């Protein structure tokens, strides 16, 4: 079970959004590379990064910040937001990224995702961001007619490394992970599932170590880590002890 600290990039800064609204952004650090190094020093083993501007623009916007992170830390980094072509994927993997996260393109062009997963095994994840159980695209600005389980089934057996499921209705408001929906998704697919959106407190970490939650690959935490609601060292020790 992996606890992924999150760095969401907006205009070159580390921010957290409330309910996916770009106009409700709280800046936590104006030096993303320093923030990434802090997470590495705390003992985290994997970093989750999102280019928020890129998710809306459909191309990399915070590339300089991501490259600075990659040059600063040694632990693996996964990136989502605006990665929508094979050329984008290849360029980021060549720069040292461990895993790309494909969101909008997974809905718009599933064949591209399958091709990428074949070409770069273990390095392509699908980002499933949902409002009311339906997949959202274009930086969460639009909602599709596809359910999270239907999207997961598209990529069964395709070699996708993970599905990252974010409940937008809980993201950034410390309401707690939507555990029932997350577990339902994990049980419906053989692809590893990572929970995201709303991890709020040590109570969520305590839940993660229970046997029924071991079906998940891990969970992503943002605001609760920045606010100190989750003690990183205590959380990592709990997860390690349960492994």
């Amino acid at each position: 079970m992996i606890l992924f600290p999150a760095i969401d990039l907006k205009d070159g800064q580390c921010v957290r959004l409330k309910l996916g609204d770009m106009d409700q952004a709280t800046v936590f650090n104006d030096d993303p590379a320093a923030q990434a190094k802090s997470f590495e020093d705390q003992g985290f083993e994997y970093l989750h990064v999102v280019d928020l501007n890129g998710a809306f623009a459909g191309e990399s916007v915070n590339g300089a910040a991501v490259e600075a992170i990659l040059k600063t830390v040694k632990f693996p980094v996964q990136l989502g937001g605006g990665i929508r072509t094979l050329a984008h994927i290849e360029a980021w993997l060549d720069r040292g990224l461990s895993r790309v996260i494909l969101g909008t393109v997974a809905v718009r062009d599933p064949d591209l995702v399958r091709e990428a997963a074949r070409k770069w095994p273990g390095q392509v994840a699908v980002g499933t961001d949902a409002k009311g159980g339906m997949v959202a695209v274009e930086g969460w600005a639009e909602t599709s007619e596809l359910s999270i389980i239907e999207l997961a089934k598209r990529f069964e057996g395709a070699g996708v490394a993970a599905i990252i499921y974010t409940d937008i209705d809980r993201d950034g408001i410390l309401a707690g992970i939507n555990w029932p929906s997350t577990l339902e998704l994990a049980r419906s697919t053989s692809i590893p599932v990572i929970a995201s959106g709303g991890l709020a407190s040590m109570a969520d970490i305590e839940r993660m170590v229970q046997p029924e939650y071991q079906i998940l690959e891990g969970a992503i935490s943002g605001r609760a880590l920045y606010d100190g609601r989750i003690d990183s060292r205590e959380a990592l020790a709990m997860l390690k002890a349960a492994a």
Side-chain angles (χ1 to χ4, degrees):
M1 180 76 76
I2 302 169
L3 182 60
F4 298 79
I7 290 181
D8 287 359
L9 297 169
K10 179 176 183 283
D11 305 330
Q13 298 174 310
C14 301
V15 307
R16 296 303 295 168
L17 303 185
K18 183 179 286 187
L19 302 174
D21 186 348
M22 287 285 274
D23 293 327
Q24 297 191 69
T26 302
V27 177
F28 283 99
N29 197 324
D30 60 7
D31 187 340
Q35 183 62 61
K37 187 67 171 67
S38 174
F39 283 139
E40 186 175 50
D41 290 344
Q42 290 171 52
F44 289 99
E45 297 179 354
Y46 215 122
L47 179 66
H48 175 79
V49 181
V50 178
D51 181 346
L52 293 172
N53 302 105
F56 283 92
E59 60 184 10
S60 177
V61 175
N62 289 286
V66 178
E67 288 188 26
I69 290 171
L70 291 173
K71 290 174 182 175
T72 302
V73 300
K74 295 182 174 62
F75 64 173
V77 179
Q78 62 184 22
L79 171 70
I83 304 173
R84 299 185 187 171
T85 69
L86 293 174
H88 284 164
I89 296 167
E90 186 169 27
W92 275 120
L93 294 178
D94 284 347
R95 289 178 192 144
L97 204 68
S98 294
R99 188 153 69 185
V100 296
I101 304 164
L102 306 179
T104 294
V105 73
V107 175
R108 305 278 197 236
D109 190 356
D111 286 339
L112 184 147
V113 177
R114 295 187 191 99
E115 183 178 352
R118 285 195 300 269
K119 192 169 184 178
W120 297 287
Q123 294 186 284
V124 175
V126 168
T128 306
D129 305 332
K131 289 183 179 180
M134 307 305 286
V135 178
V137 294
E138 306 294 346
W140 300 353
E142 301 176 20
T143 304
S144 73
E145 296 182 356
L146 201 64
S147 76
I148 56 171
I149 291 177
E150 287 170 333
L151 183 67
K153 289 187 182 301
R154 279 185 171 184
F155 303 111
E156 193 71 40
V160 169
I163 292 176
I164 297 161
Y165 169 51
T166 303
D167 185 339
I168 299 169
D169 296 324
R170 292 172 179 248
D171 191 67
I173 61 171
L174 300 168
I177 293 282
N178 184 341
W179 293 114
S181 184
T182 302
L183 289 177
E184 181 184 13
L185 174 61
R187 293 179 186 123
S188 74
T189 179
S190 64
I191 303 169
V193 172
I194 299 169
S196 175
L199 198 72
S201 67
M202 293 303 294
D204 279 322
I205 304 298
E206 291 167 5
R207 187 189 295 249
M208 286 168 61
V209 302
Q210 299 304 311
E212 67 181 297
Y213 295 89
Q214 297 299 306
I215 190 175
L216 302 175
E217 178 174 289
I220 294 166
S221 180
R223 186 177 293 270
L225 279 174
Y226 291 100
D227 283 351
R229 294 168 192 261
I230 289 179
D231 181 295
S232 59
R233 297 191 187 281
E234 183 181 350
L236 290 170
M238 287 175 61
L239 291 169
K240 186 176 181 179

